[in-house]
Amino acid sequence: MVLKLYSHGISTSAQRVICVLVEKKVPFEIIEVDIVKGEHKEPAYKEMQPWGLLPVLEENGFRLYESRAICRYIAEKYADQGTQLVPDPTDLEARGLFEQGLAMEAGTVDPCVFAALNEKLFKPFKTGASCDDELYVVLLKRVELVLDVYEVILGKQRYIGGNQYSLADIYHLPNGFALQAQCDEQVFLSEKRPNVARWWSEITGRDAWKQVGELNKPGMHTLE
C-alpha cells in the first residue's frame, strides 16, 4: 500500500515530512486537507489527528501525526534506502550529537523562529490581524541570538547534529526557509555568521529540499 500524507500546500510541517520522503526515496500520495474550508477541524479529520493539525501519515492502516515523529518513523523504517538520516545506533558518540541537535532544534531554535514567523506571516493569514512590528523586531532578535550560538557550534562540526547530514538539519528547513523566502529575512545567511551561512546554504541547496515545493501538491509522487 502506498504511503499517504494528509496535507496542504502551505503546511511547513508537511514540508519537513516531504523532504524526508524524498531523501529516503519513498513514494507517497498527498491527500489534500482544505484548511481554508476548515476541513482540518471537522470530526472526520480529528479522528485521525485529535489536535486538528497537519500533517497525518497513513501506511497500511497505521496512522501517525506530529511531523518530527513521522520523519523519524520514515527514516528508521526505510533505513536501508536513500540518504542515511539517523546515525548508526551502535555509534554512541554520533548518536549523542544527533540527539543533542534534535533537542536544540525542537527546544530552543524552532520556537524562536516559529514565533517570529507566526507574528509576521501566520497570524495575519489565520486571523486577519496585522503584524505587531515592534514585537516582530523583538522576536527576530531572539532568532539572531540563538543563531549566534549556532555559529559557535557549527564552527566545530559540519552539521547541527554532528558531521553527518541528518534529521536534525532537515527539521530546521521549513520554518527557517519561510522566514527567509516569505518574510525576506536573511538571518540564516548573514555575513556576521559565516558558519551558519555555510551550513544553511548547503542544506537548502540539497536536491530533496528543492523538490519539496513541487511535490507538496495533491496526487501520487513516485521517486527514483
Side-chain angles (χ1 to χ4, degrees):
M1 181 178 177
V2 174
L3 185 153
K4 295 181 180 179
L5 188 67
Y6 292 83
S7 175
H8 188 278
I10 68 170
S11 170
T12 53
S13 294
Q15 292 170 12
R16 186 177 287 126
V17 175
I18 293 169
C19 187
V20 172
L21 288 166
V22 179
E23 290 281 7
K24 299 304 293 180
K25 302 186 183 304
V26 179
F28 64 98
E29 180 182 4
I30 286 188
I31 310 297
E32 185 175 61
V33 180
D34 193 336
I35 62 174
V36 176
K37 294 182 179 178
E39 288 182 357
H40 58 309
K41 300 300 183 183
E42 292 181 358
Y45 182 77
K46 292 183 77 173
E47 279 292 315
M48 296 191 295
Q49 218 292 10
W51 301 102
L53 301 172
L54 302 176
V56 172
L57 175 83
E58 184 175 48
E59 185 178 35
N60 297 326
F62 172 69
R63 289 174 178 163
L64 189 65
Y65 52 87
E66 296 295 341
S67 64
R68 291 170 181 80
I70 295 171
C71 290
R72 190 73 173 257
Y73 169 81
I74 295 164
E76 297 195 338
K77 179 168 184 178
Y78 298 96
D80 294 335
Q81 66 188 63
T83 307
Q84 184 181 6
L85 298 174
V86 176
D88 184 336
T90 64
D91 187 339
L92 296 183
E93 291 186 359
R95 196 76 172 200
L97 289 173
F98 168 68
E99 296 293 348
Q100 177 179 268
L102 295 178
M104 289 189 295
E105 185 276 333
T108 304
V109 178
D110 192 62
C112 292
V113 174
F114 181 81
L117 190 61
N118 184 62
E119 184 61 36
K120 185 75 170 183
L121 190 65
F122 297 151
K123 186 180 81 172
F125 173 78
K126 290 186 291 187
T127 70
S130 298
C131 170
D132 182 330
D133 292 334
E134 290 186 5
L135 174 59
Y136 177 66
V137 170
V138 171
L139 295 173
L140 199 61
K141 181 61 177 177
R142 291 178 184 172
V143 175
E144 299 226 39
L145 290 174
V146 297
L147 292 181
D148 286 343
V149 180
Y150 263 31
E151 177 66 15
V152 176
I153 295 167
L154 289 164
K156 300 176 182 179
Q157 60 195 50
R158 183 173 178 182
Y159 298 107
I160 210 61
N163 288 312
Q164 174 187 326
Y165 177 72
S166 70
L167 293 179
D169 302 294
I170 290 175
Y171 289 177
H172 291 79
L173 284 167
N175 288 335
F177 192 78
L179 191 65
Q180 175 187 329
Q182 298 187 51
C183 301
D184 196 27
E185 299 294 350
Q186 305 303 313
V187 290
F188 284 88
L189 294 172
S190 172
E191 294 180 353
K192 296 185 296 183
R193 290 178 287 272
N195 294 316
V196 172
R198 181 266 308 159
W199 165 72
W200 190 248
S201 295
E202 182 174 345
I203 67 172
T204 57
R206 290 181 66 89
D207 287 342
W209 177 248
K210 289 179 179 179
Q211 293 180 58
V212 166
E214 181 61 30
L215 294 173
N216 197 11
K217 298 175 182 177
M220 181 67 200
H221 302 287
T222 303
L223 305 170
E224 297 181 359

